[in-house]
Amino acid sequence: MHDGVAAYALGVLDDEEHEQFERHLETCARCQAELVELAGLPEQLDELRHVPSVSGEDPR
């Protein structure tokens, strides 16, 4: 997996990195496929924020 795929999917790249990765993405079928696989990741992580912890404590 290309390091930038997850960062791109999560929206954590700065503007310059975002633009560079988008240019890379235009020509890299492997990263395009990985991005499709990770497309739902931000929503899944957001859902986990609302799941009560096993210990009953709120996560920090």
Side-chain angles (χ1 to χ4, degrees), residues 2 4 11 17 20 26 33 38 49:
H2 188 280
E17 292 170 325
Q20 288 175 351
E26 290 175 3
L38 295 177
R49 295 177 66 189

Side-chain angles (χ1 to χ4, degrees), residues 6-57:
Y8 181 84
L10 293 172
V12 298
L13 298 176
D14 65 29
D15 290 341
E16 183 178 335
E17 292 170 325
H18 181 89
E19 289 176 21
Q20 288 175 351
F21 188 75
E22 283 196 336
R23 284 192 298 273
H24 168 76
L25 196 56
E26 290 175 3
T27 62
C28 183
R30 182 176 175 190
C31 285
Q32 291 170 14
E34 290 173 2
L35 185 59
V36 169
E37 291 178 24
L38 295 177
L41 185 59
E43 292 82 16
Q44 291 171 350
L45 292 174
D46 190 46
E47 288 175 17
L48 288 176
R49 295 177 66 189
H50 304 290
V51 175
S53 68
V54 176
S55 67
E57 296 178 17

